[in-house]
Amino acid sequence: MTKKMNFSGKALQEELQREARALKIPSGTADVIVGKITEQVEKWVEKRAAVTIDDIHRRVALEAEKYNADLAYVYQNRGKII
């Protein structure tokens, strides 16, 4: 059974910032990337009646690929043992 959750752009931003710091992405660059990814994911979520956390991770990975391959990789493999 999939757990229901409410999407939070703020929570996504905080999570992306943590991951960016872990990847040692410079803070100014991270701020820009995180803002753009969050904005696009928020727009995508608004168009759907329901999404799972896996849907969100896939969408974040898709958007992150445009800006940072390492950040995209983190989200592509979220929840997997690597």
Side-chain angles (χ1 to χ4, degrees):
M1 175 168 31
T2 303
K3 182 179 163 187
K4 287 187 176 184
M5 61 169 273
N6 291 324
F7 175 77
S8 166
K10 183 174 173 24
L12 177 60
Q13 273 189 310
E14 291 170 359
E15 184 178 306
L16 284 165
Q17 285 286 357
R18 277 192 305 275
E19 295 297 347
R21 277 193 302 275
L23 293 169
K24 301 201 181 339
I25 298 172
S27 62
T29 303
D31 291 343
V32 172
I33 291 172
V34 166
K36 289 181 178 190
I37 294 170
T38 302
E39 180 182 330
Q40 291 304 312
V41 173
E42 285 175 328
K43 287 179 184 177
W44 179 81
V45 167
E46 286 174 7
K47 297 177 184 173
R48 278 138 188 88
V51 293
T52 67
I53 191 69
D54 290 337
D55 293 335
I56 291 171
H57 288 159
R58 280 189 293 274
R59 191 61 192 195
V60 169
L62 182 71
E63 294 299 330
E65 283 178 348
K66 299 173 186 175
Y67 308 104
N68 186 284
D70 292 335
L71 189 57
Y73 181 82
V74 168
Y75 278 86
Q76 287 166 343
N77 295 290
R78 185 92 325 135
K80 298 177 187 171
I81 297 173
I82 37 177

